[in-house]
Amino acid sequence: MPLWLDLLVRVVAVMVAFLVLPLVVGQAEHKVMAHMQGRVGPMYAGAFHGWAQLVADGVKFVQKEDVHPHGADRTVFRLAPIVALFPYLLVVLTIPLGPHGLVAQRLDIGLFLVLAILGFGVVAVLMSAWASANKYSLLGGLRGAAQLLGYELPLVLAAASVAMAAGTLSLPGIVEAWRPWWLIWQAPAGLVFFVAGLAEIRRPPFDMPIADSELVFGYMTEYTGLRFAFFLLAEYVGIVVIAALTTVLFLGGWHGPFADQLGWLWTLLKVFALSFVIIWFRVSYPRLREDQLQRLCWLVLVPVSLAQLVLTVAVKSLT
Amino acid sequence: MTVADVLMIALGAVAVGSGTLVVTSAHLVRSGLYLVVSLGATAGLYLVLGAELVAWVQVLVYVGAVVVLLLFAVMLTRAPIGASAGLDRPAGPSALIGAGVGFGLAALFADAFRWIEYPRADPGTAERIGGEIFGTWVLPFEVLSILLLSALVGAIVLSRPDIGARRAPEQTPEEADEEVPA
């Protein structure tokens, strides 16, 4: 295959994944939440069980008027949704789907790149919060920044544990080195990573920055139309990214029966299973209060991930 | 000129341009955001030079944490939207000092390296940097980590009245204890 064709296929594949997977997760959220709450959810759009609901939502968002708050800093206000979405696009590039190089961009230090870029999302939160010229937005943004800064530490420490176990920072390399017994050995790190990841994408029960009962909608309060849709899209891509990273780092990615042919299917199945769990959390848990949130991070997740690092080194040096 | 040269110049221009905006902008929060651009462009420079790991450390630490803390602090205190009138300082002396230092450094570098062509260094992969840090430079690394640890302990001691920080004089000890989150 010539280079340009190879590049084109990869870029198109990433764009398709970037646009389709979040919609599937979003629709799943509508339906799963509805059924867990004894409703049926959207039923009319697209005729069959409301499958086109999110497409209809998208059309609605495009038609809405583009509103700025009067006192807003317009440039920053407009830029923030793009800054929120862009990091996830880069992360999707590095996630391996199957064996034999089925990844958009193979990097030696993919894990490090992913963590660095995920940390960038907090800038978008602060930008949107401040530029909205709204007290609720600013409060939400400050909560968001405190939460993201705090939870980045257990996230990085948990990822460091699995990188040490695999002896590489490359995401496909980590999956190649993965063995089923790591499910037990790396279980604490996996849990910490998943929980901290939930907090990083500000999903319930960690949605203090957008707590709708006290802050209207946090840093997204002033956004309408397409810009708001960008934030929503970023949230759902965030779910996919966190589920995919947990899959790749802790659940063995493409490992499973017939991994050589069906590796990509195993990865996708695990990603969707974890996305289901993330939706499930939203339905089952009440929102954590701000002090509980910080307490969980600093007094539970950080010590657990540090202990996991010690355990990883101990087991690694014994075997 | 190779692609790398063009990228170097472009990223350098972005870094210097946004760096200038950081100090000249009268919009308080916007200068913080320009700092993000400037540090990001510097990370891009590292990437062009083949130092992948350093580039992503730059993004993780400076863009993702240091600038965010800075913005966070600014927003907690006073961050008006629009230009702040009180931010003006006489620019002459600082421009003189800045230009002098820049010129001096440039002259120093030009004199030290002349136009000698150096062989391109190996790419700074994680493996190589890890080997260097934990092989050749392990002593400075450990000394630095002790320094950071003592700074952390110091910060905790200073911020917690129950183990070291002096209580505010008008409070009785009981009141101060109650204020400490349990």
Side-chain angles (χ1 to χ4, degrees), chain A residues 71-73 75-76 107 109 112-113 115-117 119-120 122-123 126-127 130-131 133 138 142 145-146 149 152 169 295, chain B residues 27 29-30 33 36 52-53 56-57 59-60 63-65 67-69 71-72 75-76 79-82 125-126 181-182:
Chain A
D73 187 325
T75 325
V76 182
L107 290 166
I109 51 167
F112 215 89
L113 176 139
L115 293 173
I117 289 177
F120 192 67
V122 59
V123 175
L126 280 176
M127 279 170 77
W130 173 77
L138 190 58
L142 291 180
L149 279 179
E152 197 163 318
L169 285 169
R295 173 166 283 262
Chain B
H27 299 248
V29 174
R30 276 195 191 177
L33 295 174
V36 171
E52 273 184 284
L53 188 78
W56 296 119
V57 169
V59 173
L60 184 72
V63 178
V67 179
V68 168
L69 271 183
L71 284 175
F72 191 74
M75 287 181 189
L76 273 182
I81 286 178
T125 57

Side-chain angles (χ1 to χ4, degrees), chain A:
Chain A
M1 215 167 2
L3 182 69
W4 66 269
L5 189 65
D6 186 62
L7 207 66
L8 190 73
V9 168
R10 280 164 197 266
V11 169
V12 169
V14 167
M15 280 315 288
V16 168
F18 190 69
L19 292 175
V20 171
L21 289 178
L23 287 189
V24 174
V25 171
Q27 182 66 14
E29 178 169 69
H30 275 162
K31 283 306 208 183
V32 168
M33 276 181 71
H35 284 288
M36 282 179 176
Q37 295 165 344
R39 302 180 282 123
V40 290
M43 284 302 277
Y44 294 102
F48 180 73
H49 284 263
W51 68 271
Q53 182 60 46
L54 285 174
V55 180
D57 282 347
V59 173
K60 183 193 75 174
F61 277 132
V62 171
Q63 290 171 336
K64 282 198 171 182
E65 188 190 350
D66 188 17
V67 186
H68 297 104
H70 182 63
D73 187 325
R74 292 204 176 182
T75 325
V76 182
F77 186 80
R78 283 184 191 161
L79 221 56
I82 298 161
V83 177
L85 196 55
F86 187 64
Y88 292 121
L89 185 61
L90 285 182
V91 172
V92 173
L93 271 177
T94 65
I95 290 172
L97 201 55
H100 316 305
L102 193 52
V103 51
Q105 181 62 52
R106 200 186 163 106
L107 290 166
D108 274 347
I109 51 167
L111 180 62
F112 215 89
L113 176 139
V114 165
L115 293 173
I117 289 177
L118 279 182
F120 192 67
V122 59
V123 175
V125 172
L126 280 176
M127 279 170 77
S128 57
W130 173 77
S132 295
N134 178 322
K135 287 195 185 77
Y136 295 118
S137 293
L138 190 58
L139 276 174
L142 291 180
R143 282 181 181 180
Q147 173 174 333
L148 290 176
L149 279 179
Y151 277 88
E152 197 163 318
L153 191 59
L155 193 80
V156 172
L157 286 174
S161 160
V162 80
M164 276 161 65
T168 173
L169 285 169
S170 142
L171 290 175
I174 288 174
V175 183
E176 270 157 28
W178 188 84
R179 296 286 169 270
W181 64 278
W182 286 23
L183 277 178
I184 302 166
W185 179 27
Q186 296 295 336
L191 276 177
V192 167
F193 187 87
F194 191 58
V195 172
L198 272 181
E200 281 284 314
I201 54 173
R202 309 171 285 282
R203 285 285 297 181
F206 302 102
D207 58 341
M208 205 64 200
I210 48 174
D212 51 356
S213 51
E214 36 190 296
L215 291 183
V216 191
F217 212 53
Y219 53 88
M220 292 187 263
T221 303
E222 298 289 356
Y223 282 89
T224 55
L226 212 51
R227 296 181 208 290
F228 182 68
F230 267 41
F231 272 119
L232 275 191
L233 187 61
E235 177 173 348
Y236 289 109
V237 185
I239 296 180
V240 174
V241 161
I242 290 301
L245 284 179
T246 314
T247 303
V248 166
L249 295 178
F250 297 101
L251 300 182
W254 64 71
H255 286 289
F258 308 107
D260 262 358
Q261 291 84 37
L262 294 177
W264 57 274
L265 188 66
W266 284 111
T267 309
L268 281 182
L269 269 180
K270 290 171 185 175
V271 169
F272 280 122
L274 282 176
S275 306
F276 176 79
V277 173
I278 293 178
I279 297 166
W280 195 358
F281 270 157
R282 173 169 179 186
V283 188
S284 359
Y285 284 100
R287 181 179 306 127
L288 285 179
R289 223 168 46 217
E290 186 63 27
D291 60 318
Q292 293 169 331
L293 199 104
Q294 294 292 346
R295 173 166 283 262
L296 174 71
C297 174
W298 294 105
L299 295 185
V300 179
L301 296 186
V302 172
V304 167
S305 51
L306 286 174
Q308 169 73 62
L309 276 181
V310 175
L311 179 74
T312 306
V313 174
V315 175
K316 182 90 176 166
S317 53
L318 282 180
T319 52

Side-chain angles (χ1 to χ4, degrees), chain B residues 36-92:
Chain B
V36 171
V37 178
S38 179
L39 292 171
T42 315
L45 285 176
Y46 292 144
L47 265 187
V48 175
L49 290 173
E52 273 184 284
L53 188 78
V54 182
W56 296 119
V57 169
Q58 167 95 358
V59 173
L60 184 72
V61 174
Y62 282 93
V63 178
V66 171
V67 179
V68 168
L69 271 183
L70 200 143
L71 284 175
F72 191 74
V74 167
M75 287 181 189
L76 273 182
T77 50
R78 194 170 61 98
I81 286 178
S84 309
L87 281 182
D88 279 347
R89 283 280 160 78

